Amino acid sequence: MLIPKEKPPITVVGDVGGRIAIIVDDIIDDVDSFLAAAETLKERGAYKIFVMATHGLLSSDAPRLIEESAIDEVSVESELSSSDLGLF
């Protein structure tokens, strides 16, 4: 079983009001932290929010959760699903 890596607390440095915010990470394995970060950025006034990662290990409901969130676009270099890894 894969367990998502632990993420540090969300910290916004500087004023994001009226700006594009970009969240960068090496892997998207649990979208909850990205959704929370996007919501924080939106509350602080970011008008566009992009997520970029090297690898995307997306659960079956991740695309829906991202679509319903404050995230405008997600870009990953490689995408893996649980079935690709033989987990489900």
Side-chain angles (χ1 to χ4, degrees):
M1 171 171 51
L2 292 177
I3 299 172
K5 69 179 182 178
E6 190 172 323
K7 303 278 187 185
I10 298 168
T11 304
V12 177
V13 178
D15 179 15
V16 297
R19 297 199 165 110
I20 296 171
I22 302 172
I23 303 168
V24 179
D25 205 344
D26 60 339
I27 187 168
I28 301 175
D29 53 358
D30 178 21
V31 297
D32 292 340
S33 59
F34 292 93
L35 302 179
E39 189 59 38
T40 299
L41 291 165
K42 186 63 82 173
E43 288 171 359
R44 300 218 181 163
Y47 78 91
K48 289 270 189 193
I49 300 169
F50 298 110
V51 174
M52 298 180 179
T54 305
H55 306 288
L57 177 58
L58 304 174
S59 65
S60 60
D61 62 341
R64 178 187 55 79
L65 293 170
I66 291 168
E67 185 69 32
E68 295 171 355
S69 76
I71 296 171
D72 292 291
E73 187 173 330
V74 175
S75 176
V76 294
E77 181 65 26
S78 64
E79 182 178 345
L80 301 171
S81 68
S82 300
S83 60
D84 291 337
L85 300 175
L87 297 176
F88 300 102

